[in-house]
Amino acid sequence: LKLRSAAEGFLKRMSTMGVTTVEGKSGYGLDRETELLQLKVMRSLNNTEHKRVDIVSTFLGAHALPEEYAGRSDEYIDFLIREMLPLVRDGELAECCDVFCEQGVFSIEQSRRLLQAAKEHGFLLKLHADEIVSVELNWQPNWEHCLPITSCTLPMPASVQWPMPEW
């Protein structure tokens, strides 16, 4: 109830600024219950009769490695693939799946495994990479989430303006 109330306040404020659509991400609980709760609150807000802002939900269970999986990141990715992706998909809780592919978080291979499984479940794919350390991916991500970086190791599509225009 507290999470929903806070989210309603943020959405109301955003709507007064002309925002019509936002991306909502899980990834701030890193356990089954909290991840599902975050996504269920987003779904509930999106299904409200008088909603002010559309929410596009993204499952970001691979935002960081939970303490209980310290040193066992492959096992955590397996947990996300085996248990969380089916729960999120069957509950229609998210449209997209995202992973944080960075040195010290999730490797390129782990990210690839998770996103391949997410694709097989019908999720749209997103990728957080190159935010902290330059990563040589050699595969084409969704360019929707771009932050300024000093050196880009990915081929940049012509449709992406870089540096990003000033607002």
Side-chain angles (χ1 to χ4, degrees):
L1 191 57
K2 188 175 179 180
L3 178 61
R4 181 184 166 88
S5 179
E8 284 174 326
F10 290 130
L11 292 172
K12 181 177 181 181
R13 184 162 182 221
M14 283 186 262
S15 74
T16 64
M17 294 184 271
V19 174
T20 61
T21 306
V22 298
E23 178 186 21
K25 291 186 186 234
S26 69
Y28 297 92
L30 303 178
D31 62 66
R32 179 192 331 253
E33 291 74 28
T34 309
E35 291 295 308
L36 293 175
L37 174 65
Q38 292 168 358
L39 293 167
K40 286 176 182 177
V41 166
M42 286 182 248
R43 182 185 61 193
S44 149
L45 289 166
N46 224 17
N47 291 336
T48 301
E49 183 179 343
H50 301 292
K51 71 178 176 181
R52 300 168 182 262
V53 176
D54 289 318
I55 303 169
V56 178
S57 297
T58 296
F59 172 59
L60 182 54
H63 191 211
L65 187 64
E67 287 182 24
E68 64 268 23
Y69 281 93
R72 301 180 300 127
S73 55
D74 282 325
E75 288 180 40
Y76 184 63
I77 293 294
D78 291 340
F79 162 73
L80 295 176
I81 292 170
R82 184 181 60 253
E83 295 187 35
M84 293 302 294
L85 288 178
L87 284 171
V88 173
R89 175 51 47 204
D90 292 347
E92 298 180 355
L93 298 175
E95 297 171 48
C96 309
C97 181
D98 196 350
V99 59
F100 196 30
C101 179
E102 287 284 351
Q103 183 179 333
V105 189
F106 296 103
S107 71
I108 293 169
E109 184 52 39
Q110 291 166 334
S111 299
R112 193 176 277 142
R113 276 196 313 122
L114 178 62
L115 292 178
Q116 181 60 45
K119 182 179 180 182
E120 291 169 7
H121 280 281
F123 290 95
L124 299 172
L125 307 180
K126 297 189 176 243
L127 175 70
H128 276 72
D130 253 0
E131 290 184 26
I132 300 170
V133 175
S134 183
V135 178
E136 185 78 34
L137 292 174
N138 294 321
W139 55 299
Q140 196 65 28
N142 177 338
W143 280 97
E144 184 175 316
H145 181 80
C146 293
L147 294 177
I149 52 181
T150 55
S151 65
C152 185
T153 58
L154 295 170
M156 190 78 68
S159 62
V160 175
Q161 295 179 6
W162 207 264
M164 298 299 278
E166 295 293 326
W167 294 98

